[in-house]
Amino acid sequence: MFSPILEAYGLPEDKCTIRPFGTGLINHTWKVSYGAASYILQRINDAVFHHPSLIAENMESLAVYLQTHHPEYLFVKPLNTRDGRNLVHSQEGYFRLVPFITGSHTIDVVSAADQAYQAARQFGKFTSLLAGFPIGHLHLTLPDFHNLSLRYRQFEDALQHGNPARIAATADQIDVLRHFRGIVHTFEDIRHHSGFRLRVTHHDTKISNVLFDDSGHGLCVIDLDTVMPGYFISDLGDMMRTYLSPVSEEEKDMELISIRDEYFRAIVRGYLSEMKEELSAAEMDHIVYAGKFMIYMQALRFLTDHLNDDRYYGAKYEGHNFVRAVNQLTLLQRLTEKEPILNKMVQESIYSF
Ligand code: GN1
Ligand code: MG
């Protein structure tokens, strides 16, 4: 299967070692080693990304901008094939090959507050280095990706047309999602608020999308498929969603879900260390909201998918997306309980700069 793809890049498949890599839910990823060189090969899920060439074009324009304005920034861009293409289309789908940066590594689980700080700093840096980039030049690779109002409508749609047995069995979770609906209203306010800006936003700030060096310093961010115009709450919020709790969205024992204060502080400090000059007062007032926004959206998306028979995320066991939804709702409740403390930490962080 890989032979024509690797050949396009001048790599002989029979001399390469190819093994699955990473834990993403959407694209397929492999690490390819050839002699001393290593690469990351990815098949873009074109059931999700209908126009993979738009991703490649976004990477080209970001690369040109960064090369001109911030040539010292490590921007990991897909390689061109021998005949100059930035993407290979075969019967098996769309593929790209990215150089593996020697001396770098990724992590799958945040196990120290400094890792959260480093990652938040890198995501903030990415947006702030691109503050002058003409935002209209970015293609929307997934239109409405973080449009919470649309996600809520899709949830309501699933309540109408989804699997009736699953709808009946999830009445409690449906109630909780409805109870938190104010999070959607705040999002609507944000969209109409002049203090909120659309910036170059990563939209997938999980820890495995940060490259670290051997001493644990953040190097740069990777996995740029969903880089699009967006609000800062997407990136900051998804870090809260994925770094605050000691257990991930896959955890079935909800007792283990908690908010780690020192990780919250690390995320906010790391992000603000790069973004404090960028954010308006109105945006600064929505730092804790960012976490609520992203956790709520993910809970909506998992439950919606469960009601739609797992057609988007797939399921490794019966009720997988239901468990994920309950997990995210639990996390949302834990975060909401701590809101006053977290807001206080935000104020302390803002004053400490
Ligand atoms: C998907 O593929 P992965 O794991 O990077 C999803 C994210 C979700 C995440 C939940 C394009 O990301 O939005 O937060 O799963 N990406 C897409 O694990 O839908
Ligand atoms: Mg991703």
Side-chain angles (χ1 to χ4, degrees):
M1 153 181 167
F2 294 114
S3 182
I5 314 291
L6 293 177
E7 231 143 66
Y9 293 96
L11 299 173
E13 187 190 13
D14 56 338
K15 299 210 176 77
C16 291
T17 318
I18 306 167
R19 38 183 190 85
F21 191 79
T23 54
L25 299 183
I26 303 297
N27 295 328
H28 272 86
T29 308
W30 297 268
K31 187 169 175 187
V32 177
S33 305
Y34 174 55
S38 298
Y39 307 88
I40 295 295
L41 177 69
Q42 279 196 307
R43 180 169 67 205
I44 301 171
N45 181 335
D46 58 351
V48 172
F49 296 98
H50 297 304
H51 305 288
S53 63
L54 298 183
I55 300 175
E57 283 174 25
N58 278 352
M59 298 207 192
E60 297 278 351
S61 35
L62 294 174
V64 169
Y65 182 91
L66 288 167
Q67 190 50 48
T68 312
H69 295 89
H70 304 285
E72 72 293 345
Y73 182 69
L74 176 61
F75 184 71
V76 190
K77 182 175 161 283
L79 297 166
N80 280 349
T81 58
R82 282 187 299 178
D83 58 1
R85 286 168 295 152
N86 50 22
L87 195 64
V88 179
H89 188 194
S90 83
Q91 267 183 342
E92 315 280 346
Y94 291 86
F95 290 82
R96 65 175 170 227
L97 190 75
V98 183
F100 186 90
I101 305 297
T102 317
S104 78
H105 67 276
T106 53
I107 56 178
D108 284 327
V109 181
V110 184
S111 56
D114 187 57
Q115 294 170 334
Y117 177 88
Q118 295 292 330
R121 192 172 181 138
Q122 287 305 319
F123 285 111
K125 181 175 182 182
F126 180 70
T127 295
S128 87
L129 289 181
L130 288 160
F133 182 85
I135 195 93
H137 290 191
L138 276 182
H139 300 297
L140 303 184
T141 54
L142 279 180
D144 287 316
F145 185 40
H146 282 188
N147 178 345
L148 186 62
S149 309
L150 177 75
R151 297 295 183 190
Y152 196 84
R153 285 200 296 279
Q154 290 171 334
F155 163 63
E156 286 185 318
D157 224 56
L159 293 177
Q160 295 293 319
H161 307 291
N163 178 329
R166 288 188 171 192
I167 295 170
T170 51
D172 289 352
Q173 288 69 33
I174 291 169
D175 275 353
V176 182
L177 283 171
R178 286 192 168 129
H179 166 80
F180 278 109
R181 178 127 195 233
I183 297 174
V184 185
H185 299 145
T186 304
F187 174 67
E188 277 304 316
D189 294 341
I190 285 175
R191 290 170 90 183
H192 298 108
H193 195 305
S194 58
F196 276 77
R197 261 189 57 197
L198 289 170
R199 301 183 178 84
V200 179
T201 302
H202 186 283
H203 287 112
D204 190 10
T205 56
K206 62 166 73 115
I207 197 73
S208 58
N209 285 339
V210 178
L211 288 191
F212 289 89
D213 70 13
D214 291 338
S215 57
H217 278 99
L219 285 172
C220 65
V221 301
I222 55 171
D223 189 4
L224 307 174
D225 302 327
T226 51
V227 172
M228 288 180 280
Y231 298 110
F232 86 100
I233 52 174
S234 284
D235 282 0
L236 186 61
D238 214 32
M239 289 191 265
M240 295 181 189
R241 185 181 82 77
T242 55
Y243 310 167
L244 287 180
S245 172
V247 293
S248 80
E249 67 193 17
E250 298 294 339
E251 180 59 52
K252 298 173 189 161
D253 182 353
M254 307 306 163
E255 299 281 312
L256 299 178
I257 298 173
S258 70
I259 302 291
R260 299 178 289 187
D261 292 9
E262 69 278 28
Y263 286 69
F264 179 85
R265 196 177 288 114
I267 294 169
V268 172
R269 293 216 169 150
Y271 193 72
L272 290 184
S273 71
E274 295 287 340
M275 286 291 288
K276 60 181 184 299
E277 309 295 339
E278 273 292 308
L279 296 181
S280 69
E283 289 172 322
M284 290 281 198
D285 279 345
H286 285 75
I287 286 181
V288 178
Y289 172 79
K292 296 204 291 182
F293 166 77
M294 281 308 300
I295 299 167
Y296 183 64
M297 179 152 59
Q298 197 62 57
L300 274 175
R301 292 178 67 192
F302 281 144
L303 199 72
T304 301
D305 202 40
H306 175 67
L307 301 182
N308 289 335
D309 290 327
D310 315 303
R311 66 181 180 217
Y312 186 82
Y313 284 114
K316 296 213 168 80
Y317 59 87
E318 172 68 24
H320 194 165
N321 285 306
F322 173 73
V323 170
R324 289 166 163 162
V326 173
N327 172 305
Q328 295 293 287
L329 282 174
T330 308
L331 184 62
L332 181 59
Q333 268 149 346
R334 295 288 96 84
L335 186 80
T336 311
E337 288 155 14
K338 277 211 165 168
E339 236 181 311
I341 304 172
L342 301 180
N343 274 318
K344 202 161 154 262
M345 283 198 262
V346 169
Q347 291 314 315
E348 286 162 7
S349 298
I350 293 174
Y351 290 129
S352 75
F353 282 110

